[in-house]
């Protein structure tokens, strides 16, 4: 995956998905991000997403992974 860092591919895909959501008349878009995914969190914050909640994503019956819930209103 690291060979794709800095290529702009992620931003292109992200922009494409935002445009699709807008074309479907969505009022916004939300996503979950693992709290230790620092690059992703920085990326989404720069794109205008705001943290709106916390969520423990279940990995198994006994283990969860903490996530932040982000929302971008159009």
């Amino acid at each position: 995956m690291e060979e794709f860092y800095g290529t702009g591919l992620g931003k292109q895909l992200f922009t494409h998905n935002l445009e699709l959501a807008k074309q479907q008349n969505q009022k916004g878009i939300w996503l979950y991000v693992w709290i230790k995914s620092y690059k992703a969190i920085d990326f989404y914050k720069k794109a205008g997403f705001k943290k709106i909640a916390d969520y423990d994503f279940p990995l198994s019956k006994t283990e969860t992974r903490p996530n932040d819930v982000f929302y971008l209103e159009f």
Side-chain angles (χ1 to χ4, degrees):
M1 291 287 281
E2 289 184 15
E3 67 267 20
F4 296 107
Y5 289 167
T7 64
L9 186 60
K11 185 170 177 124
Q12 289 177 20
L13 180 60
F14 176 73
T15 301
H16 177 73
N17 284 318
L18 289 180
E19 290 305 315
L20 287 175
K22 289 175 184 177
Q23 288 172 9
Q24 297 297 315
N25 296 317
Q26 291 184 204
K27 295 182 181 185
I29 192 168
W30 55 268
L31 51 86
Y32 296 95
V33 183
W34 179 41
I35 64 168
K36 292 189 179 183
S37 186
Y38 306 116
K39 285 185 179 184
I41 290 170
D42 287 343
F43 177 86
Y44 293 124
K45 283 182 176 180
K46 287 178 186 175
F49 279 80
K50 305 290 183 207
K51 181 181 171 184
I52 60 169
D54 300 310
Y55 178 72
D56 284 330
F57 186 85
L59 296 175
S60 69
K61 290 182 180 182
T62 60
E63 186 177 352
T64 62
R65 177 169 283 170
N67 280 246
D68 291 334
V69 182
F70 284 90
Y71 182 72
L72 176 66
E73 187 172 356
F74 299 139

